Amino acid sequence: MPYKKHSRFAKLMYIGSALSMVIGISSFIMISVGVFSLSIDTARLLREGYSVFYVLMPVVLILTGTVIILISLLRESLTLLVCSVSFFMAGLLMGKMEKIFSLYSSETVVFVFLGIGILLIGVAFYKLLYREAVIGVIDALGIVAFLWFLVPLIHSLPLVLLLRIPLLDAFFESVMGFTGTGLTVFTGAIDHKGIYIPSVDELSMPILLWRSIIQWVGGIGVVVMSMAIIAQPSIGLVILAEVEGRLEKLEPTIKKTAIQMFKLYIILTIISFALFYIAGLGPFEALCQAFTGISTAGFSTRSDSFASMSLAVKIAGMIVMILGASNFHDMYIARKRPWAFFRSVELRAMLITITLALLASIGLFRLHEKYSLIDILFQITSALTTTGWQSVDLSASPIEFKVLLIILIFVGGSIFSTAGSVKILRYIALFKYIREEINKMGKPRGYQTTYSVGRYSFSPDSVGRAALVMFLYFFTYQVGLAIAFKMAGQTYRIDNLFFEVASALGNIGLSTGVAGASSPVGLKLEFIVLSIMGRLEIFPLIILIYKLLTFRPSRKRIIKQPAIS
């Protein structure tokens, strides 16, 4: 039977190949953390008198065997496969017989071997299921929604194995990481099953690094990162990247665009690391904060986030947050014309919004009597850029401050950035549309115009779509509030519930203490769904749900032959 690219079977095969791509990224994250943990173990064992050869040889053999296995499967070489299995088995036997594995920390063993196992599964999926297929937008919506539930589920496994916490708590943490939401279960409290969940301060360095890397990968987008790494993306993969919401053309081809975007992302991460390191953080903490800051995601290496950080670190943090929420296209152009970045409409709008919010905090709400100016400015920047770092305890903040932050949460950063929420450009476009419509009242009938904001041009239809996205955000927020009130009962203050639901939907991570280990199961599930909806900007999921509800299977038309008289 001939293979058809448009068939349902072909689309199922494409889902399998997309799955292998995502599994590959997941294995990269886990193996990277495992190698980092191994370096910590090696330094410790060397201080105890062990030789480098004795400590590293088993893992080196296993990793070498894994690389050769990948090459042998991709090239379909039996000789290389036999060679790779020999390396792999030699490493396992040496580690087992010499009891070297018992010298490693549990983080090293779990992350390395889990990463290798997931990598081999991904390659198997690719070899068995990879097919070219023609997929539509609806197919892409379904695949992306599926992947954004699957990837966090895969990354829940290390937390379950290492910390022995329930799967729901591990899944919650993983979702909040990949979506850039920043809410956490690591609050040092008892969860719904009576199990103690440690605080962030109690986590080991490998797990802190893992939390930072998943936010870094989620910030740019799993699909976009895959496109930058794999040899040649297919048309279907391009559609997946557009649905994921982190892609805009920088170069003539999508492949070059993904590569340039990834390079820019790495450069911004290095700049962020340098800023934190110069401000006084140690190398490890500066790296973790750079990962979570440039992705506007919000995890921190400390339980109090930025509350105990120095003034210099907070200033560095605000610069990093603004960089992460700025338009990648503007920064890409700024490589050759640096001042073009400062002429960006979105950047100027963000800075004006931050200034107005600061003036309102001081002049109207007199928050400077309760907090320092730097803390007020830091929280305003964190809310607008959707980063979620905290320098004050928001659970005890005045209601006026929470309302102000909620407004900023629903504004958001630039559209082609790692920021979440509605995005500030949509508000500018809608405001300009309203102004132009008022000016058009005296024009002849049938007069049409195009609305431009910076380099973006908006037709009335695109402005309507922007308004629809805003409506869906606010409507989903109202539904989320109703569910949260039902789930929480009288446990939490109303203003804190209002704030927490907005934080989850906008992918912020600022918390008043509602989200955490002790939260009810229903609230945890709701925050998981809201954060994924917010990450995909709601509209794609609404389309997917509508199409699924209105789907009618097509029937083959039977053409009757005329009777022969």
Side-chain angles (χ1 to χ4, degrees), residues 111-317:
F111 278 112
V112 169
F113 285 99
L114 193 58
I116 290 173
I118 290 173
L119 181 61
L120 296 178
I121 292 172
V123 173
F125 265 103
Y126 179 81
K127 291 298 294 181
L128 294 174
L129 300 178
Y130 177 74
R131 297 288 190 282
E132 285 292 338
V134 177
I135 65 171
V137 175
I138 302 302
D139 302 315
L141 291 172
I143 294 172
V144 168
F146 171 69
L147 293 181
W148 274 93
F149 277 97
L150 178 66
V151 173
L153 185 61
I154 293 173
H155 280 269
S156 304
L157 298 177
L159 296 183
V160 173
L161 294 173
L162 290 171
L163 302 178
R164 307 296 180 186
I165 64 176
L167 179 61
L168 176 60
D169 291 327
F171 184 59
F172 181 95
E173 189 73 14
S174 189
V175 168
M176 297 304 147
F178 275 104
T179 59
T181 304
L183 298 174
T184 182
V185 293
F186 292 122
T187 53
I190 306 296
D191 81 334
H192 60 282
K193 287 190 173 181
I195 298 173
Y196 176 74
I197 308 297
S199 66
V200 173
D201 290 334
E202 298 175 87
L203 298 178
S204 63
M205 290 176 67
I207 293 180
L208 290 174
L209 180 63
W210 168 83
R211 294 171 81 238
S212 302
I213 292 179
I214 64 172
Q215 291 207 317
W216 187 71
V217 172
I220 193 175
V222 176
V223 178
V224 172
M225 182 170 286
S226 303
M227 288 178 62
I229 295 174
I230 65 175
Q232 185 60 45
S234 63
I235 298 298
L237 197 58
V238 173
I239 297 175
L240 292 183
E242 290 174 347
V243 170
E244 195 181 37
R246 289 290 192 271
L247 189 65
E248 183 179 311
K249 232 175 178 181
L250 299 176
E251 293 288 344
T253 66
I254 295 297
K255 173 67 177 178
K256 288 183 179 179
T257 293
I259 292 174
Q260 293 301 326
M261 184 176 173
F262 191 43
K263 287 181 179 178
L264 178 61
Y265 198 50
I266 292 175
I267 292 171
L268 291 173
T269 306
I270 294 172
I271 293 172
S272 303
F273 169 79
L275 287 172
F276 281 123
Y277 187 72
I278 293 170
L281 291 182
F284 174 76
E285 199 169 14
L287 180 64
C288 290
Q289 301 292 18
F291 280 150
T292 61
I294 204 62
S295 58
T296 60
F299 278 164
S300 180
T301 53
R302 304 184 186 186
S303 294
D304 62 359
S305 191
F306 269 64
S308 59
M309 301 282 190
S310 66
L311 174 63
V313 173
K314 290 178 182 177
I315 293 173

Side-chain angles (χ1 to χ4, degrees), residues 333-561:
I333 295 174
R335 298 177 311 154
K336 298 179 180 178
R337 302 195 301 272
W339 289 108
F341 174 66
F342 297 100
R343 288 197 295 268
S344 167
V345 174
E346 291 169 286
L347 176 62
R348 284 183 289 173
M350 281 196 294
L351 295 177
I352 291 171
T353 304
I354 290 172
T355 303
L356 292 176
L358 180 62
L359 293 176
S361 301
I362 298 171
L364 296 178
F365 308 138
R366 306 191 65 81
L367 293 174
H368 60 287
E369 297 176 358
K370 183 176 178 62
Y371 304 119
S372 66
L373 287 179
I374 189 66
D375 283 332
I376 297 172
L377 183 60
F378 187 90
Q379 289 307 145
I380 289 171
T381 306
S382 181
L384 180 66
T385 60
T386 74
T387 305
W389 282 335
Q390 288 186 218
S391 60
V392 298
D393 180 13
L394 292 176
S395 62
S397 295
I399 294 178
E400 297 88 346
F401 193 33
K402 293 175 186 176
V403 171
L404 176 64
L405 293 180
I406 288 175
I407 293 172
L408 295 174
I409 283 172
F410 281 111
V411 174
S414 304
I415 59 168
F416 186 30
S417 70
T418 62
S421 197
V422 178
K423 309 292 191 302
I424 199 167
L425 187 69
R426 290 191 173 107
Y427 290 98
I428 299 173
L430 186 60
F431 172 77
K432 195 160 189 178
Y433 172 79
I434 295 172
R435 189 185 68 182
E436 292 294 331
E437 285 296 306
I438 294 173
N439 294 334
K440 199 171 70 174
M441 287 180 179
K443 303 292 182 180
R445 182 175 296 179
Y447 176 82
Q448 295 292 333
T449 184
T450 301
Y451 316 95
S452 61
V453 180
R455 70 175 186 282
Y456 296 99
S457 296
F458 293 88
S459 65
D461 288 342
S462 58
V463 174
R465 283 193 295 271
L468 180 60
V469 170
M470 296 179 196
F471 168 76
L472 288 174
Y473 261 98
F474 296 131
F475 177 77
T476 306
Y477 178 56
Q478 298 300 322
V479 174
L481 281 175
I483 296 173
F485 288 141
K486 180 68 175 178
M487 295 292 180
Q490 303 296 322
T491 309
Y492 304 102
R493 287 173 47 179
I494 293 178
D495 57 323
N496 288 345
L497 277 176
F498 267 86
F499 189 90
E500 212 80 1
V501 172
S503 183
L505 180 60
N507 300 137
I508 314 300
L510 292 173
S511 180
T512 55
V514 175
S518 59
S519 301
V521 174
L523 272 182
K524 289 178 182 176
L525 292 174
E526 181 189 357
F527 290 152
I528 287 171
V529 173
L530 287 176
S531 62
I532 294 177
M533 291 183 71
R535 177 59 177 79
L536 299 179
E537 294 193 339
I538 303 175
F539 193 53
L541 288 179
I542 296 294
I543 296 175
L544 176 63
I545 293 170
Y546 173 76
K547 289 293 183 181
L548 290 176
L549 292 177
T550 58
F551 173 75
R552 295 290 183 272
S554 59
R555 296 180 180 179
K556 294 183 178 179
R557 295 177 60 188
I558 300 175
I559 303 175
K560 293 183 178 181
Q561 297 293 334

Side-chain angles (χ1 to χ4, degrees), residues 15-26:
I15 292 174
S17 63
L19 182 63
S20 66
M21 167 196 70
V22 170
I23 288 176
I25 295 295
S26 298

Side-chain angles (χ1 to χ4, degrees), residues 16-47:
S17 63
L19 182 63
S20 66
M21 167 196 70
V22 170
I23 288 176
I25 295 295
S26 298
S27 64
F28 161 76
I29 295 173
M30 291 188 187
I31 292 176
S32 299
V33 176
V35 171
F36 170 76
S37 181
L38 177 64
S39 67
I40 296 175
D41 292 341
T42 302
R44 172 176 54 83
L45 293 172
L46 289 178
R47 288 195 299 269

